[in-house]
């Protein structure tokens, strides 16, 4: 048979035919039909070879490749986390250093361990400082709200906070739905309630004063 000679005429031809049948270069059914007509034992051995290669060795090789890919992905994830933490720590350290040194009337510099909103606002005029806060997902109005929460009701003095505590507070505020937004809303509601109570108390005092005067006039008439 010419086909038998072509595919199984010599050992190199056999190895090439088996390789093609395994890798898809040749339909193994064609080789199986040729072997069936020539040798039943050869046909059975060929089917065993195909089964072993497809269901055993190929699956093992696929598992090894997948395992290596997963390991590489985990290593890449660890590297990404480490790199992100390094950048994060660098940003925090840089902000802490910048906030501690402030210009005094544009002439000299001095170091301080506390900061107020007007002082922070001066730093925010620098695009680099604003960019650092942007890296930790905080906008200037978030920082303004943060200092508003520190204010004591009825006092006009700007609150100050230790820079280390301010940095830690900033890190606790960074998330998709920012805690500062919720805290600012709560603060505004509480402040509004206090104002309403104050207005009501003031109105009641006026009514009491007016009623007292009215009663005084009534007694005078009698």
């Amino acid at each position: 048979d010419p086909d038998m000679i072509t595919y199984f005429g010599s050992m190199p031809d056999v190895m090439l035919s088996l390789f093609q049948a395994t890798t898809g270069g040749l339909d193994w059914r064609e080789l199986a039909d040729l072997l069936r007509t020539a040798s039943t034992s050869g046909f059975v051995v060929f089917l065993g070879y195909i089964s072993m290669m497809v269901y055993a060795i190929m699956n093992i090789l696929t598992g090894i490749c997948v395992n290596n890919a997963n390991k590489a992905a985990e290593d890449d994830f660890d590297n990404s986390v480490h790199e992100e933490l390094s950048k994060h720590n660098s940003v925090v350290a840089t902000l802490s250093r910048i906030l501690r040194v402030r210009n005094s009337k544009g002439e000299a510099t001095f170091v301080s361990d506390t900061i107020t909103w007007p002082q922070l606002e001066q730093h925010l005029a620098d695009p680099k400082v604003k960019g650092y806060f942007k890296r930790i997902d905080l906008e200037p109005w978030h920082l303004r709200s943060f200092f508003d929460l520190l204010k004591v009701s009825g006092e006009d003095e700007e609150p100050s906070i230790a820079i280390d505590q301010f940095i830690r507070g900033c890190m606790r505020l960074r998330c998709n739905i920012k805690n500062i937004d919720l805290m600012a809303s709560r603060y505004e509601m509480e402040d509004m309630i206090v104002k309403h109570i104050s207005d009501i108390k003031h109105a009641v005092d006026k009514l009491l004063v007016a009623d007292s005067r009215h009663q005084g006039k009534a007694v005078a008439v009698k």
Side-chain angles (χ1 to χ4, degrees), residues 3 11 17 30 39 44 56 59 61 94 122 132 184 195 203 205:
D3 291 334
M11 183 57 67
S17 299
E30 297 178 5
S39 172
V44 174
N59 284 338
L61 293 176
T94 303
Q122 292 179 1
Y132 285 131
K195 289 181 179 179
D205 290 340

Side-chain angles (χ1 to χ4, degrees), residues 8 35 66 109 123 130 137 156 164 176 184 200 205:
F8 301 103
L35 288 172
V66 171
T109 60
H123 285 294
K130 190 179 295 185
D137 301 327
D156 296 331
D164 290 337
N176 291 331
I200 293 173
D205 290 340

Side-chain angles (χ1 to χ4, degrees), residues 56-197:
I57 296 179
M58 294 301 292
N59 284 338
I60 292 173
L61 293 176
T62 301
I64 292 174
C65 293
V66 171
N67 185 55
N68 290 336
N70 290 335
K71 185 177 180 180
E74 290 177 359
D75 293 340
D76 184 63
F77 176 76
D78 292 339
N79 292 333
S80 298
V81 171
H82 179 72
E83 184 179 354
E84 184 65 24
L85 287 176
S86 299
K87 291 180 179 179
H88 170 267
N89 293 333
S90 176
V91 169
V92 171
T94 303
L95 277 176
S96 180
R97 184 179 67 254
I98 291 176
L99 296 180
R100 290 178 188 280
V101 180
R102 296 193 294 271
N103 290 328
S104 177
K105 298 181 181 179
E107 299 176 355
T109 60
F110 61 93
V111 177
S112 175
D113 290 329
T114 61
I115 191 169
T116 62
W117 167 247
Q119 295 165 349
L120 179 60
E121 196 172 21
Q122 292 179 1
H123 285 294
L124 292 175
D126 186 350
K128 289 184 178 180
V129 177
K130 190 179 295 185
Y132 285 131
F133 280 107
K134 184 70 174 178
R135 287 290 301 274
I136 56 177
D137 301 327
L138 289 177
E139 298 289 346
W141 69 273
H142 289 129
L143 303 175
R144 170 74 265 190
S145 299
F146 179 85
F147 279 94
D148 287 340
L149 294 173
L150 300 178
K151 283 187 177 180
V152 178
S153 180
E155 293 187 6
D156 296 331
E157 184 179 356
E158 286 289 342
S160 64
I161 184 174
I163 291 177
D164 290 337
Q165 293 181 349
F166 172 70
I167 296 295
R168 287 196 298 269
C170 288
M171 303 317 302
R172 293 181 63 183
L173 294 175
R174 57 179 307 216
C175 59
N176 291 331
I177 301 177
K178 297 209 168 37
N179 294 331
I180 188 66
D181 298 339
L182 301 177
M183 294 170 65
S185 298
R186 179 179 177 182
Y187 173 80
E188 291 175 357
M189 290 181 62
E190 291 179 351
D191 187 58
M192 188 179 300
I193 291 174
V194 170
K195 289 181 179 179
H196 283 325
I197 293 176

